[in-house]
Every structure is written in structure tokens, then in C-alpha cells.
Amino acid sequence: MNNTKIVKTLMAVMVGSALLSGSALAEQTMTQKATATADSAGSKIDSSMKKVDGYMGDSSVTAKVKAALVDDEAIKSTDISVKTHSGVVTLSGFVTSQDQAEKAVELTKKVEGVKSVSDKLHVKDGKAQSVSGYAGDAATTSEIKAKLLADDIVPSRNVKVETNDGVVQLSGVVKTQAQSERAEGIAKAIDGVKSVKNDLTVKP
């Protein structure tokens, strides 16, 4: 009888310890999984925060550059478009002289947070533009925008269109070279367009 009791007691102890070690293992596994999940979530948050910081930084740089250009009376900043991506500032649009273009670039380089400047500014024709010429340019710009909007290939909301004396400038970002060429082709097909300056950036 005693032997049977001892065996039963030993069996109970073994089963109990097995259960305990099993639950400890399960707990350990759960803890590891929870830690891994927390680490993964943490790194995702870090990554997204960095993206937000980068975006906020770019927006801030763009605002500072625009303010610097507005403050300088020698530059007609209303015709200059400013875009920033990872600290690289792209200036596009029209200026009245090469001196203005160079001054705008120099001013931009001095702004805090600017890593480099991509100069895509174009010098306007020196001749004073007539009212009818300006009205024609506005109509050309509107027509190109409407055609781009109706097109299935070009992401029109990302494309900026400016026209000066029949010269059209396309700026902004598209995903493929085909979209860039398509936008240029649409602009060239519009009546009144003398030439197209394609400054679209392709970013897949």
C-alpha cells in the first residue's frame, strides 16, 4: 500500500512540475511575443514619426524660403513656386532677369534646413507683356489644366502649369516617364503654345 502511495505521490509531483514548467514556458513565450510586438510597433512608430518630422521639416523650409523671397523687394516672388523634398528645395516659375534667378537661389541657400537648391527658374521675355497676351496665357493655362484633368494617365493634381508669352512650364511630380511625356504632349497640342518647358520630376 505504502509503495502505491509513494508512486502516486511521485506521479502527482511530476505531473504538477510538468504543468508548472509548461505554464512557465507558455508565459515566457507570451512575454517574448508581447515584447517583439511592442518592439515592432515601437520601430513602426519611430519610422512614421521620422516621416512626419521630415514632412514637417520640408513644410517649414518651404515656408521659410517663401518668406525670404517675399521679403526681398528685388525679387517678384509671386511667379516663383517653392517645393521641398528631404531638404532639397526646387525653385520653378518665371523671373524677369537672370540676376533675379541667381539672387533667388542664393537667398534660398541661406535658409536654415536647406541642403541644396534645384534651380528650374525661367527668365521671362524682356518685352512687356500686353494685356491681351496675358489673357491669352491665362486661357492657355486653363485649357491645358482642363485637358490634363480629363486625361486618365497624368495625375493632374500633381502637375503645375504656368504660361508666359506662349511658353508653357510644367512642374511638379509624376510617377513615370510616360506620364511626364504625356503631360508635355498634351500641352504642346494646345493652340497658342509656342514651346513647352518640361520640369516635371519623375519619382516612382
Side-chain angles (χ1 to χ4, degrees), residues 61-62 65 82-85 87-91 108 113-119:
V61 169
T62 298
V65 171
V82 181
K83 280 191 180 142
T84 310
H85 183 75
V88 178
V89 177
T90 301
L91 299 177
T108 303
V114 174
K115 291 179 185 172
S116 65
V117 180
S118 172
D119 176 11

Side-chain angles (χ1 to χ4, degrees), residues 144-154 156:
I144 293 168
K145 283 181 177 177
K147 293 274 186 187
L148 291 174
L149 195 63
D151 189 79
D152 292 333
I153 297 170
V154 182
S156 59

Side-chain angles (χ1 to χ4, degrees), residues 42-65:
S43 64
K44 279 180 186 171
I45 289 166
D46 285 347
S47 169
S48 60
M49 284 301 285
K50 277 176 192 166
K51 282 181 188 170
V52 170
D53 284 347
Y55 181 75
M56 289 298 287
D58 286 344
S59 300
S60 173
V61 169
T62 298
K64 286 179 192 170
V65 171

